[in-house]
Amino acid sequence: MIKFTYNKHCVKKRLGQNFLINNDVINNIISSISPKSTDVMVEIGPGLGALTDHIYNIVHKLFVIEYDNDLVTKLLIAYSNIKNLEIFFKNVLEFDFFRIGNNYYNSIRVFGNLPYNISVSILLHLFKYNNIVDIHCMFQKEVADRLLACPGTKNYGRLSIISQYYCNITRLFDVYPQSFRPIPKINSTFLRLSPHKKYSCSMKNIKHLIKIVTLAFRNRRKILKNSLSELFNENTLINLKINPMLRAENLSVKQYCYLSNYISSL
Ligand code: SAM
């Protein structure tokens, strides 16, 4: 176990370092994750081990990915005797979640108190791996609100649609800034993302979904007839049972899938 040695002079702001210090929050996170003895888990950004300490002794195998070399040195010393824990000094955005070390894993669980500055990029990276069975992560509350947003609301947009296409998303609890050191200027939310086993609408080409939602939300006040005119004329939208007078935020994830599969079929 690492004894908490937070030192404000060593914090690397560019790596989004806000370390968890509240034991109630840590316990809530662990019980929400509910690690099992058969689990193979990957932790993103273990930092000083606030979560790591509670997981490695339960699960079959724990991999941790840390990008701060000073922290990696600390982790390697603290966990040198722990056989089922492997530490990677790596940027998570370049980490291959299929092939970890020399092995291929067809079922892994991912968790972490993410560096906020790259949390969306991390999520989009994780969506590429269909061997991930669930993701439990801390996000900036505003990002969590966008991930969870429903059609017709101001937070609903590109991120909501792409994430909800891949996952069922659950808000577990909010976390106050005082639970971290240094204290961030933002509130946080802990989420569970469970990738769909069966998609309500299966996508022929995800790039088409991304292109359509990007166009639709480039100017969210525009009606679809105008915002999507590069890809669909008014009659095509009507034939696809999409009202051309609606705005981007009015379409469901399923309707966006429908539009993108039409483009894929051309
Ligand atoms: N898990 C610890 C905790 O809860 O106290 C630390 C969380 S802190 C918000 C984010 C952690 O992610 C830091 O340890 C930071 O160094 C690490 N990190 C930042 N960017 C990273 C990257 N690209 N790849 C892997 N780890 C990264």
Side-chain angles (χ1 to χ4, degrees):
M1 183 181 277
I2 296 188
K3 195 162 156 28
F4 180 67
T5 52
Y6 161 71
N7 174 343
K8 69 178 178 185
H9 303 294
C10 297
V11 169
K12 295 176 184 159
K13 234 177 152 183
R14 72 190 157 78
L15 291 177
Q17 292 181 348
N18 296 97
F19 300 104
L20 267 169
I21 55 143
N22 182 323
N23 283 330
D24 291 337
V25 173
I26 292 170
N27 289 336
N28 275 345
I29 290 176
I30 304 303
S31 60
S32 301
I33 297 174
S34 184
K36 309 276 183 304
S37 60
T38 50
D39 286 340
V40 175
M41 301 197 84
V42 180
E43 180 178 8
I44 300 170
L48 291 160
L51 302 176
T52 323
D53 270 350
H54 299 266
I55 302 272
Y56 74 79
N57 52 355
I58 301 176
V59 300
H60 174 64
K61 183 89 194 170
L62 176 59
F63 300 101
V64 301
I65 314 160
E66 178 54 65
Y67 203 28
D68 177 338
N69 55 346
D70 295 327
L71 287 178
V72 169
T73 306
K74 281 190 166 68
L75 291 164
L76 285 168
I77 294 167
Y79 295 123
S80 60
N81 292 326
I82 310 297
K83 296 280 174 285
N84 67 333
L85 175 70
E86 206 168 319
I87 299 160
F88 290 90
F89 172 36
K90 208 165 168 60
N91 180 353
V92 62
L93 299 175
E94 290 161 9
F95 193 81
D96 182 343
F97 284 80
F98 280 132
R99 186 171 185 270
I100 306 178
N102 285 325
N103 293 309
Y104 288 89
Y105 290 91
N106 55 17
S107 172
I108 55 171
R109 305 184 67 200
V110 174
F111 69 98
N113 171 19
L114 300 184
Y116 295 122
N117 46 347
I118 56 165
S119 64
V120 171
S121 307
I122 293 174
L123 210 48
L124 297 177
H125 181 63
L126 295 179
F127 291 157
K128 295 179 202 152
Y129 297 92
N130 63 5
N131 59 336
I132 296 177
V133 294
D134 60 17
I135 301 165
H136 287 85
C137 284
M138 188 82 77
F139 292 90
Q140 180 176 347
K141 186 175 179 299
E142 283 74 15
V143 173
D145 290 343
R146 283 164 57 209
L147 287 165
L148 290 154
C150 299
T153 63
K154 72 173 175 21
N155 284 322
Y156 185 68
R158 202 169 167 257
L159 183 63
S160 335
I161 294 160
I162 293 168
S163 307
Q164 291 171 26
Y165 167 69
Y166 282 108
C167 296
N168 188 29
I169 308 174
T170 314
R171 183 193 298 274
L172 295 171
F173 48 86
D174 292 337
V175 182
Y176 293 113
Q178 289 73 15
S179 302
F180 305 90
R181 289 293 181 277
I183 300 175
K185 291 194 177 74
I186 48 147
N187 285 309
S188 305
T189 301
F190 195 65
L191 296 182
R192 174 183 299 129
L193 295 98
S194 311
H196 298 299
K197 290 194 178 73
K198 197 167 181 295
Y199 291 94
S200 60
C201 170
S202 80
M203 188 70 53
K204 293 192 177 114
N205 186 342
I206 188 71
K207 287 190 182 141
H208 291 146
L209 177 69
I210 294 169
K211 166 107 183 162
I212 291 169
V213 294
T214 304
L215 274 181
F217 284 94
R218 201 155 57 182
N219 181 344
R220 58 191 296 144
R221 298 309 303 156
K222 274 192 180 177
I223 54 172
L224 295 169
K225 177 175 89 161
N226 296 331
S227 58
L228 296 181
S229 59
E230 193 182 300
L231 296 173
F232 303 90
N233 65 37
E234 189 172 356
N235 281 337
T236 312
L237 287 174
I238 293 168
N239 288 338
L240 292 169
K241 301 200 169 32
I242 305 290
N243 179 348
M245 305 306 284
L246 292 177
R247 294 194 165 86
E249 67 189 37
N250 301 119
L251 295 197
S252 66
V253 176
K254 210 168 172 178
Q255 285 173 306
Y256 277 109
C257 294
Y258 196 43
L259 286 177
S260 73
N261 279 345
Y262 172 78
I263 296 293
S264 308
S265 69
L266 293 177

